Amino acid sequence: MSHMRTVVKLLALCCICVVGSLARETTEPSMSKASGVTIEISTVDVNDSLLTLSYDIKNESDHEAWICSESGPPFEVFLALDTQTLVIRKRMDVPAYNVWDRAVPLGTYVRVIPGASLTESVRIALPVTSVIAYSAKKTTEVTQTVTRLTLEIGYFDEDLPGLIHSICAVADTWTLPHIDIPLDTFHAYFRGVAIRNGLGEYFDRLNPDPYAEGQVHIRYSQHGLIEKILRADVNDVCIPYSGRAVIKYCE
């Protein structure tokens, strides 16, 4: 009983710490609405052999934003079976059911200062085939023509290197007892420690001068930082697809 009281008291204390230091985080990805960071698809071209998609992201806020440019692989692409939509995404705040046979994926975020914009393109050979790096728990093979496309781009609406350093600095002040804590409980109440364990050891080594380079590389961590999402849809397209469909892809 005394052991359980210790755990409860510790969880309550660290919950206060987490709320104070990570108050911007939520349990679900936040959709970008009035943040001042916007996305617009400028070109969608489908010819006999290639799908080309170009988009512009503008930062009309009064502070910097960090936009996901590569999500481990350059991007993911797959069919969402429940909506009949081709999903192209660059995000890292997604669940993973994979066992990495090589190195853990490494994503890249590009700094966009106030008033600036970022223009990028995605080119995919036809017929489109699936590229799934993370969430692929339930899939099935599909061959069909897709008439709707969704683009998802993850981003941080603040100083990303500063956010990571501040979280790690607070987590470094915590002393955890040598007791068994269920994994789900640890990730729920000690999120700052989980972020430090997943990112802190590698962040400065991978990013010696992120502001000068204008980008950061982040090692994938399932219990890491929570992104906001930019999303844009295109209807009335005609894209041949042959690959896997993900029944539930955005959790």
Side-chain angles (χ1 to χ4, degrees):
M1 183 63 70
S2 60
H3 172 79
M4 290 303 299
R5 290 197 189 99
T6 301
V7 173
V8 170
K9 289 180 181 178
L10 183 60
L11 293 182
L13 176 60
C14 290
C15 185
I16 295 172
C17 294
V18 170
V19 170
S21 63
L22 304 176
R24 289 180 293 272
E25 295 189 1
T26 60
T27 57
E28 297 292 336
S30 301
M31 303 307 298
S32 58
K33 293 184 179 179
S35 67
V37 180
T38 61
I39 188 170
E40 180 180 355
I41 295 178
S42 56
T43 303
V44 178
D45 181 66
V46 183
N47 58 36
D48 292 338
S49 60
L50 194 67
L51 163 64
T52 301
L53 173 72
S54 299
Y55 58 93
D56 300 311
I57 296 175
K58 297 180 180 179
N59 183 5
E60 298 177 345
S61 72
D62 59 357
H63 53 272
E64 65 188 55
W66 292 76
I67 313 298
C68 187
S69 180
E70 294 187 359
S71 56
F75 56 86
E76 292 184 281
V77 55
F78 50 85
L79 185 66
L81 186 64
D82 53 349
T83 59
Q84 300 295 297
T85 299
L86 183 68
V87 179
I88 299 174
R89 74 178 181 187
K90 297 181 181 182
R91 291 172 48 197
M92 293 191 72
D93 180 26
V94 291
Y97 304 103
N98 306 18
V99 176
W100 314 115
D101 55 355
R102 296 183 180 179
V104 175
L106 195 68
T108 301
Y109 289 77
V110 175
R111 185 188 191 194
V112 181
I113 63 175
S117 61
L118 174 69
T119 299
E120 293 191 327
S121 296
V122 171
R123 293 178 177 84
I124 306 172
L126 298 179
V128 174
T129 58
S130 52
V131 178
I132 303 173
Y134 301 115
S135 183
K137 191 172 184 179
K138 297 180 180 180
T139 65
T140 186
E141 292 293 327
V142 174
T143 298
Q144 67 182 64
T145 298
V146 179
T147 59
R148 187 170 184 267
L149 182 152
T150 290
L151 175 67
E152 295 181 352
I153 307 294
Y155 77 106
F156 292 91
D157 195 23
E158 58 188 299
D159 174 2
L160 179 55
L163 173 65
I164 293 173
H165 284 140
S166 65
I167 291 173
C168 292
V170 173
D172 284 341
T173 67
W174 298 350
T175 301
L176 301 183
H178 297 288
I179 58 175
D180 291 331
I181 301 175
L183 193 60
D184 290 344
T185 301
F186 176 80
H187 289 137
Y189 292 97
F190 300 92
R191 189 174 184 86
V193 176
I195 291 172
R196 181 201 59 191
N197 292 347
L199 301 178
E201 180 181 351
Y202 306 94
F203 186 77
D204 287 335
R205 186 192 316 163
L206 295 172
N207 305 284
D209 195 353
Y211 300 107
E213 295 180 1
Q215 63 181 21
V216 298
H217 304 290
I218 294 184
R219 186 174 181 268
Y220 177 79
S221 175
Q222 185 167 342
H223 302 283
L225 301 166
I226 296 179
E227 299 172 313
K228 292 185 176 181
I229 306 167
L230 293 163
R231 179 175 287 137
D233 300 315
V234 180
N235 297 312
D236 302 321
V237 293
C238 187
I239 303 172
Y241 180 87
S242 180
R244 287 190 288 171
V246 179
I247 296 173
K248 186 176 183 182
Y249 72 91
C250 184
E251 298 183 8

